[in-house]
Amino acid sequence: MLIKAGESLLLVIDMQERLVPAMLAPARTLKNTALLVEAAHELDVPVLLTEQYPEGLGPTVPEVARVASGYPVFPKLHFSCMQDTAIAGAVEASGRSQIVLAGMEAHICVVQTAASLLEDGYEVFVASDATASRSAESEQACLHRLSAAGVGIVTTEMVVFEWLAKAGTASFKKMLPRIK
């Protein structure tokens, strides 16, 4: 199935100051998350951000917060975003049926959120290059588990180009320099 901008919501999970440095490939993860947020903005895809226990893990990192300015940020304590009534309500209120996930940690909050979204009937996609864990084993286990459960394991470019749908548009021309 294609990921369609008009049916998608981007959920950015826990890209926080005290969590990011412990992740594998944090620069890649932040760069790709920022690109997803920029593409979402360009194509009118709603964006929600979460922060796990912000008092302890700090706010969203500047690299993501800067491009996500104006989008709602939800503090949470549950590992699955969908166990938080405010976040679940915002996802439902969006009216979108496809949820694209980026975030940390893949094997904890991302996997639990994806599983909850599947249980709630959403089509779920995880941008593997915008998702991270502290270890390669945890990251791989998350992606294998989610793939087996029916989650689409995709890359940032896959998401962006599926949202764009065709070349030659004003949005395509605006996003192309960011993708190259």
Side-chain angles (χ1 to χ4, degrees), residues 3-178:
I3 308 168
K4 300 173 184 156
E7 297 176 20
S8 291
L9 175 140
L10 175 62
L11 182 55
V12 178
I13 302 171
D14 307 345
M15 298 272 187
Q16 293 165 259
E17 287 182 348
R18 291 189 199 112
L19 195 56
V20 169
M23 297 300 114
L24 293 176
R28 175 207 72 179
T29 304
L30 296 176
K31 173 183 167 258
N32 288 322
T33 300
L35 177 57
L36 285 170
V37 172
E38 290 175 33
H41 179 76
E42 176 64 25
L43 297 163
D44 296 320
V45 172
V47 178
L48 304 176
L49 293 94
T50 69
E51 293 176 346
Q52 178 73 28
Y53 183 60
E55 296 83 8
L57 295 175
T60 299
V61 293
E63 298 91 329
V64 174
R66 179 179 34 81
V67 296
S69 178
Y71 291 117
V73 179
F74 295 88
K76 67 180 182 69
L77 293 176
H78 290 96
F79 298 127
S80 169
C81 294
M82 297 306 286
Q83 296 301 311
D84 182 284
T85 56
I87 301 167
V91 170
E92 186 177 334
S94 75
R96 303 300 177 106
S97 60
Q98 296 182 329
I99 312 299
V100 177
L101 301 177
M104 300 175 178
E105 284 192 68
H107 67 291
I108 302 171
C109 294
V110 174
V111 76
Q112 290 186 39
T113 299
S116 294
L117 286 162
L118 280 177
E119 288 174 356
D120 291 344
Y122 291 95
E123 292 176 48
V124 183
F125 302 89
V126 171
S128 60
D129 58 354
T131 304
S133 288
R134 287 168 285 151
S135 75
E137 294 82 9
S138 291
E139 210 169 285
Q140 290 169 351
C142 164
L143 297 176
H144 288 300
R145 178 179 175 192
L146 291 176
S147 179
V151 170
I153 306 302
V154 296
T155 65
T156 296
E157 281 197 19
M158 291 169 73
V159 174
V160 172
F161 279 99
E162 288 178 39
W163 281 348
L164 287 166
K166 69 178 190 176
T169 65
S171 292
F172 177 82
K173 290 174 185 173
K174 184 173 181 180
M175 291 305 304
L176 193 57
R178 281 288 292 124

